[in-house]
């Protein structure tokens, strides 16, 4: 029998949302036939946390969930020392979620110098620079389980992934959340009369949807295999990005009536030209409720 | 001696004191804090709808519902449709159910010497997560409930899907947790009848009986629940006496020196929250029978939590039928949040018990936010003279391994406690 890939899952300052999102992976049994956790926050493992932090148990991949600070301890050992120790022995490190990638929501907690492993928002963190070559970032609050698990398989299969500037696999993060949203037609034709509680309308114009400028695959690889936030009617909150969470999240920030954050790579002039053209049309199908005659 | 308790959505340290070879005091220490309440200060009120689900990975949805209801309480005249209320209740029920499966198969089984049943934990909880996602977009961590209703619309086809998920979960329960031939678990009123059946729950109950642990883990026999909806009732219970006239004003939260977690009392007394409390206050026949024989022991706690699954599935099925699809999902508040200077609170029944949120707003900006989580109630770290619920439940036990069974019977959530 082929040897299982040994994985260590260690948690910093976190809500365990990534842990629970991971458990939503549909083919978990098959995954556990191929991977073995030497420690996991929920799944039984061969070693206790105390044994993990006091030794260097051989393993292949280190998964880090949660924000990181020199002040945080796990079983009476400094989290940064545990990371440094295991970073030396593993082949790869994955930052699991936005907190361990960019610092996330708990950047504003009361711990000192709280960051992600390599990034404090967009700024590079010096402390772990030496292990940057080993790291892949799967951002998201929480991570989509398929993104994490397929990345683990790619490590198992020794596939070199193309990564973006924040070490995220391009296969998942070269897209925007906007790709595949069922509200796209309303965006394209600038039908901006969206109301909450409706299947119709685009939330980019008024309700703070960040999907057109947020990297990820939420509308390409659906959540829980059935839906996405924007399809349901919740604006994308940009949870895969370095500056998550921004403020005033349910409102679109505008300058002179123009959204302050434009779709990724679209110049203001291009946007204005397109908006002007599309505004010239009235598309009845998009102006009424979609199920109406 | 000190024992690090792991895999409880984080960790906690139990400092045991022994006298005459029996535990005579346990100091409970939580090791982190994430300052969510501070993070919320000076933020726009609606941002709390995005931040607060991130209090907890396993019961974050309860935090969303508590947040939206606390914010809505700040308005004097706000309309929320019955449809939106039902949708919120559905998704919250689904979250409770996924939690209970995970607790039983991840946490309870190893306490009795069995291997975790990872796939049995994951399968039904994944189905329940799908059900939440059909309505709310994703699970965990959506923010689909907003002031005035919910952002999503629901159709007949969605309802068909939800009904299938509920039936699938019910089948899983019947096939795995307890086999009752020709008997309806919801009509069963005798705890004894659960002991000699086949199924994972009966197996654990059998082990408890074999070890003579039926009376293990008793505390003060004081229960409380503040969350109210179409299924749960507000009230408190002392031994067998029930009272419904209780006020959140009598709930006090305070810090202790040895832990990051805060203690919670009602009229200066510690109360147990969670499925057992809800069942006692709701006068559930089977749990009442368990309570009359085993009081607030681990038997009652385990059975109450596991049997909340079929009860909620059944209730949820009925609730779906009450949805009027013609009602709006969202009714825009007449006053913009930026003009609201007020305070509000909410209480919802989360998987582990009563969850309270309190907010003070000034022109739509959060000035103060307080969160009291269920585990704070159950795991309050009292003094020798006035011990918390779980502390009291561990007194007199001979060793820390048995104490861990009692401790985990409360379904501990470290991340919630250290919000």
């Amino acid at each position: 029998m082929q040897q299982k890939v040994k994985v260590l899952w260690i948690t910093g300052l976190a809500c365990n949302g990534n842990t629970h999102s991971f458990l939503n992976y549909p083919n978990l049994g098959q995954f556990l036939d191929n991977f073995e956790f030497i420690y996991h926050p929920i799944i039984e493992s061969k070693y206790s946390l105390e044994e993990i932090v006091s030794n260097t148990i051989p393993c292949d991949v280190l998964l880090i969930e949660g924000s990181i600070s020199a002040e945080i301890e796990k079983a009476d050992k400094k989290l940064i020392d545990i990371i440094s120790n295991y970073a030396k022995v593993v082949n790869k490190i994955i930052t699991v979620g936005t907190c361990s990638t960019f610092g996330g929501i708990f950047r504003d907690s009361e711990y000192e110098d709280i960051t992600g492993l390599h990034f404090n928002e967009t700024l590079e963190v010096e402390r772990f620079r030496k292990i940057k070559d080993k790291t892949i970032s799967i951002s998201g609050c929480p991570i989509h389980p398929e993104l994490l698990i397929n990345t683990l398989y790619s490590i198992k299969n020794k596939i070199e992934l193309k990564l973006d500037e924040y070490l995220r696999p391009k296969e998942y993060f070269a897209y925007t959340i906007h790709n595949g949203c069922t509200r796209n037609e309303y965006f394209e034709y600038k039908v901006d009369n969206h109301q909450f509680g409706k299947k119709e309308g685009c939330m980019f114009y008024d309700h703070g949807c960040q999907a057109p400028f947020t990297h990820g695959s939420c509308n390409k690889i659906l959540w829980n295999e059935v839906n996405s936030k924007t399809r349901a009617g919740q604006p994308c909150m940009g949870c895969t990005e370095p500056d998550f969470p921004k403020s005033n999240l349910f409102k679109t920030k505008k300058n002179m009536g123009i959204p302050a954050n434009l779709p990724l790579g679209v110049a203001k002039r291009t946007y204005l030209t397109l908006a002007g053209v599309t505004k010239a049309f009235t598309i009845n199908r998009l102006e009424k409720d979609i199920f109406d005659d | 001696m000190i024992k690090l308790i792991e895999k409880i959505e984080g960790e906690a340290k139990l400092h045991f004191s022994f006298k005459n070879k029996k535990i005579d005091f346990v100091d409970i220490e939580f090791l982190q804090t994430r300052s969510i309440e501070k993070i919320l200060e000076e933020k726009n009120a609606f941002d709390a709808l995005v931040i607060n689900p991130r209090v907890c990975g396993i019961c974050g949805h309860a935090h969303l519902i508590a947040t939206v209801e606390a914010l809505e309480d700040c308005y004097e005249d706000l309309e929320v449709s019955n449809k939106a209320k039902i949708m919120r209740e559905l998704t919250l029920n689904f979250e409770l159910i996924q939690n209970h499966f995970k607790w039983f198969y991840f946490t309870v089984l190893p306490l009795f010497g069995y291997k975790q049943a990872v796939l049995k934990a994951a399968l039904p909880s994944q189905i329940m997560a799908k059900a939440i996602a059909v309505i709310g977009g994703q699970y965990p961590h959506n923010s689909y409930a907003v002031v005035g209703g919910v952002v999503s619309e629901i159709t007949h086809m969605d309802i068909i899907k939800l009904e299938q998920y509920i039936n699938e979960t019910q089948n899983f329960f019947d096939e795995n947790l307890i086999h009752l031939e020709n008997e309806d678990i919801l009509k069963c009123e005798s705890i004894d009848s659960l002991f000699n059946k086949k199924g994972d729950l009966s197996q654990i109950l059998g082990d408890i009986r074999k070890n003579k642990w039926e009376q293990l883990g008793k505390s003060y026999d004081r229960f409380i629940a503040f969350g109210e909806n179409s299924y749960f009732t507000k009230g408190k219970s002392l031994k067998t006496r029930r009272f419904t006239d209780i006020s959140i004003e009598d709930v006090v939260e305070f810090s202790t020196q040895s832990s990051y977690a805060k203690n919670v009392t009602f009229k200066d007394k510690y109360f147990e929250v969670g499925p057992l409390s809800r069942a006692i206050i709701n006068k559930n026949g089977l749990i009442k029978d368990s309570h009359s024989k085993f009081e607030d022991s681990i038997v009652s706690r385990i059975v109450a939590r596991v049997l909340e699954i079929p009860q909620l599935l059944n209730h949820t099925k009925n609730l779906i039928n009450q949805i009027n699809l013609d009602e709006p999902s969202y009714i825009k508040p007449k006053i913009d949040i930026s003009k609201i200077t007020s305070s509000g609170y909410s209480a919802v029944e989360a998987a582990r018990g009563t969850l309270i949120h309190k907010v003070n707003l000034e022109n739509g900006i959060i000035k103060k936010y307080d969160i009291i989580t269920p585990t704070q109630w159950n795991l309050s770290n009292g003094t020798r003279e006035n011990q918390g619920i779980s502390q009291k439940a561990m007194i007199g036990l001979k060793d820390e391994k048995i104490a861990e069974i009692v401790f985990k019977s409360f379904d501990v959530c470290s991340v919630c406690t250290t919000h």
Side-chain angles (χ1 to χ4, degrees):
Chain A
M1 206 179 105
Q2 220 186 352
Q3 233 189 353
K4 291 185 182 182
V5 177
K6 288 188 167 56
V7 182
L8 166 59
W9 185 310
I10 200 95
T11 312
L13 203 60
C15 71
N16 275 22
N18 299 299
T19 297
H20 285 281
S21 192
F22 158 79
L23 292 171
N24 284 336
Y25 182 65
N27 303 316
L28 206 54
Q30 211 181 100
F31 173 78
L32 293 171
D33 289 340
N34 287 280
F35 295 83
E36 176 194 345
F37 286 108
I38 66 161
Y39 191 79
H40 182 276
I42 290 177
I43 295 175
E44 262 181 319
S45 38
K46 201 170 166 186
Y47 302 96
S48 70
L49 185 61
E50 282 168 319
E51 288 168 331
I52 290 288
V53 304
S54 325
N55 301 284
T56 310
I57 315 282
C59 57
D60 305 302
V61 186
L62 170 62
L63 305 186
I64 305 167
E65 174 177 13
S67 319
I68 297 162
S69 157
E71 290 186 315
I72 294 172
E73 293 189 350
K74 300 294 287 182
D76 296 327
K77 293 274 190 295
K78 278 186 180 298
L79 174 68
I80 54 168
D81 292 341
I82 303 165
I83 293 172
S84 300
N85 190 28
Y86 278 95
K88 284 179 212 152
V89 299
V90 295
N91 301 322
K92 284 283 180 193
I93 301 161
I94 302 179
T95 55
V96 181
T98 295
C99 286
S100 59
T101 303
F102 300 117
I105 219 157
F106 305 121
R107 266 196 320 267
D108 294 333
S109 71
E110 288 168 338
Y111 288 92
E112 269 179 26
D113 297 328
I114 192 145
T115 65
L117 184 70
H118 298 300
F119 304 100
N120 179 16
E121 296 198 39
T122 54
L123 299 174
E124 284 219 29
V125 174
E126 200 54 42
R127 185 183 287 135
F128 291 110
R129 191 184 279 269
K130 279 187 185 159
I131 57 171
K132 206 175 160 194
D133 289 348
K134 285 189 178 183
T135 305
I136 299 170
S137 309
I138 306 292
S139 59
C141 187
I143 49 116
H144 190 298
E146 190 173 321
L147 275 55
L148 172 64
I149 281 172
N150 286 359
T151 302
L152 278 164
Y153 272 106
S154 79
I155 292 170
K156 180 178 186 288
N157 298 339
K158 297 190 170 49
I159 295 165
E160 279 299 317
L161 296 173
K162 275 192 174 177
L163 306 178
D164 71 9
E165 59 183 316
Y166 299 119
L167 312 173
R168 301 177 294 191
K170 284 194 172 179
E171 180 143 352
Y172 298 125
F173 292 93
Y175 297 91
T176 66
I177 306 299
H178 179 71
N179 284 144
C181 179
T182 49
R183 297 165 186 274
N184 274 359
E185 281 185 299
Y186 299 92
F187 174 84
E188 286 160 13
Y189 299 106
K190 212 177 177 303
V191 182
D192 54 2
N193 57 348
H194 171 261
Q195 292 289 317
F196 285 136
K198 294 274 185 191
K199 288 205 172 289
E200 302 80 12
C202 174
M203 298 166 288
F204 171 72
Y205 300 106
D206 284 314
H207 287 118
C209 185
Q210 300 178 35
F213 53 91
T214 297
H215 297 84
S217 293
C218 292
N219 276 303
K220 183 170 168 273
I221 305 169
L222 293 180
W223 277 88
N224 312 91
E225 300 183 288
V226 292
N227 212 352
S228 75
K229 288 199 290 293
T230 63
R231 286 184 180 200
Q234 188 203 314
C236 165
M237 298 299 173
C239 78
T240 57
E241 295 295 5
D243 55 357
F244 174 76
K246 295 191 184 79
S247 58
N248 211 358
L249 289 161
F250 284 86
K251 264 200 175 141
T252 301
K253 197 178 165 197
K254 292 180 189 173
N255 297 328
M256 311 272 288
I258 313 294
N261 293 291
L262 293 176
L264 216 60
V266 176
K268 196 173 165 191
R269 182 174 290 192
T270 316
Y271 176 83
L272 285 173
T273 309
L274 270 173
V277 172
T278 53
K279 268 285 177 195
F281 301 107
T282 302
I283 301 161
N284 286 333
R285 189 172 67 85
L286 300 180
E287 295 291 341
K288 61 184 187 182
D289 283 0
I290 196 152
F291 299 148
D292 283 355
D293 293 328
Chain B
M1 73 152 301
I2 302 168
K3 188 173 172 62
L4 183 75
I5 307 287
E6 302 176 14
K7 302 185 195 272
I8 47 167
E9 307 302 329
E11 297 87 35
K13 268 186 193 167
L14 298 185
H15 302 251
F16 291 104
S17 300
F18 285 86
K19 196 175 178 184
N20 301 327
K21 295 185 177 170
K22 285 183 175 177
I23 293 168
D24 79 331
F25 187 63
V26 188
D27 192 47
I28 304 167
E29 183 190 1
F30 283 94
L31 309 156
Q32 288 178 344
T33 177
R34 290 171 298 146
S35 325
I36 292 248
E37 290 151 335
K38 278 255 175 282
I39 289 172
L40 289 164
E41 285 175 12
E42 299 302 323
K43 293 250 190 309
N44 285 287
F46 290 170
D47 290 357
L49 298 166
V50 178
I51 291 169
N52 289 351
R54 273 92 182 169
V55 170
C56 180
I58 190 162
C59 62
H61 202 67
H63 284 280
L64 171 70
I65 303 301
T67 306
V68 79
E69 290 185 0
L71 292 176
E72 286 174 347
D73 195 42
C74 294
Y75 286 78
E76 272 179 17
D77 176 26
L78 187 94
E79 205 185 342
V80 178
S81 72
N82 202 37
K83 182 170 92 174
K85 285 180 191 161
I86 292 176
M87 286 165 76
R88 290 177 185 178
E89 200 173 323
L90 291 177
T91 49
L92 186 54
N93 287 351
F94 296 143
E95 178 174 84
L96 265 62
I97 295 164
Q98 65 89 34
N99 174 79
H100 296 348
F101 277 114
K102 282 178 178 166
W103 174 75
F104 185 80
Y105 283 115
F106 280 133
T107 305
V108 174
L109 289 196
L111 292 173
F112 291 85
Y114 301 103
K115 279 181 87 68
Q116 269 183 343
V118 176
L119 300 184
K120 282 189 179 183
L123 183 76
S125 50
Q126 284 177 7
I127 301 169
M128 289 292 91
K130 271 182 207 290
I132 297 172
V134 164
I135 300 175
Q138 72 172 58
Y139 186 79
H141 292 354
N142 67 62
S143 306
Y144 94 105
V146 292
V147 171
V150 295
V151 299
S152 50
E153 183 58 299
I154 189 169
T155 67
H156 287 295
M157 297 303 184
D158 294 329
I159 287 173
I160 289 167
K161 228 186 232 184
L162 293 177
E163 285 172 337
Q164 286 170 354
Y165 292 147
I166 290 169
N167 289 338
E168 208 179 331
T169 309
Q170 183 63 58
N171 289 343
F172 180 94
F173 183 92
D174 295 341
E175 283 164 18
N176 291 281
L177 268 304
I178 191 154
H179 304 298
L180 293 176
E181 281 169 30
N182 306 319
E183 211 183 331
D184 183 352
I185 186 75
L186 299 171
K187 290 186 182 139
C188 179
E189 296 216 330
S190 159
I191 183 72
D192 293 326
S193 66
L194 302 187
F195 275 85
N196 300 313
K197 296 285 188 298
K198 284 187 177 161
D200 300 328
L201 174 62
S202 293
Q203 178 81 40
I204 294 299
L205 292 176
D207 289 352
I208 289 174
R209 184 155 276 178
K210 210 164 63 194
N211 287 303
K212 299 193 169 70
W213 285 344
E214 287 117 312
Q215 306 292 331
L216 190 73
K218 288 183 187 175
S219 187
Y220 294 107
D221 211 352
R222 285 199 295 251
F223 305 106
I224 205 159
F226 278 97
E228 280 183 292
N229 60 19
S230 69
Y231 191 67
F232 297 125
T233 325
K234 185 169 98 171
K236 69 173 181 180
S237 168
L238 308 167
K239 301 287 178 191
T240 51
R241 290 181 303 147
R242 274 175 290 275
F243 307 85
T244 51
D245 188 19
I246 55 170
S247 166
I248 279 185
E249 284 173 14
D250 293 318
V251 176
V252 174
E253 189 189 32
F254 57 96
S255 301
T256 65
Q257 278 190 338
S258 59
S259 177
Y260 275 114
K262 288 179 180 169
N263 289 2
V264 182
T265 56
F266 176 81
K267 291 191 175 174
D268 301 325
K269 285 192 167 66
Y270 294 111
F271 278 77
E272 178 167 347
V273 298
L276 176 58
S277 302
R278 297 195 276 258
I280 295 290
I281 292 159
N282 258 6
K283 300 181 188 175
N284 177 281
L286 181 67
I287 306 305
K288 258 171 58 188
D289 187 52
S290 178
H291 183 253
S292 71
K293 288 168 180 140
F294 310 117
E295 296 177 330
D296 52 345
S297 71
I298 59 166
V299 174
S300 298
R301 238 171 254 135
I302 291 172
V303 171
R305 181 163 277 114
V306 173
L307 291 192
E308 204 172 70
I309 295 172
Q311 291 156 16
L312 281 176
L313 285 169
N314 182 59
H315 179 73
T316 304
K317 228 180 203 177
N318 296 331
L319 205 54
I320 288 177
N321 290 330
Q322 293 169 29
I323 295 180
N324 178 357
L325 293 179
D326 294 332
E327 288 181 15
S329 294
Y330 171 78
I331 300 166
K332 195 174 177 181
K334 289 177 193 135
I335 304 170
D336 191 84
I337 190 81
S338 63
K339 296 189 173 64
I340 300 286
T341 297
S342 180
S343 59
Y345 74 86
S346 65
V348 304
E349 285 305 309
R352 292 166 177 79
T354 293
L355 168 68
I356 296 171
H357 280 217
K358 296 179 189 172
V359 63
N360 289 349
L361 297 181
E362 228 174 85
N363 297 320
I365 302 294
I366 297 167
K367 290 293 161 184
K368 194 170 182 333
Y369 206 103
D370 281 317
I371 299 172
I372 298 174
T373 66
T375 301
Q376 282 179 258
W377 288 91
N378 289 336
L379 266 59
S380 279
N381 193 30
T383 58
R384 281 176 184 264
E385 295 71 40
N386 187 17
Q387 304 192 35
I389 293 291
S390 67
Q391 288 174 304
K392 168 90 173 156
M394 289 185 278
I395 297 300
L397 301 177
K398 285 181 189 150
D399 70 67
E400 70 282 358
K401 275 191 182 155
I402 299 176
E404 185 175 350
I405 297 175
V406 172
F407 184 74
K408 288 186 171 174
S409 74
F410 290 96
D411 190 5
V412 179
C413 183
S414 173
V415 289
C416 267
T417 311
T418 57
H419 58 271

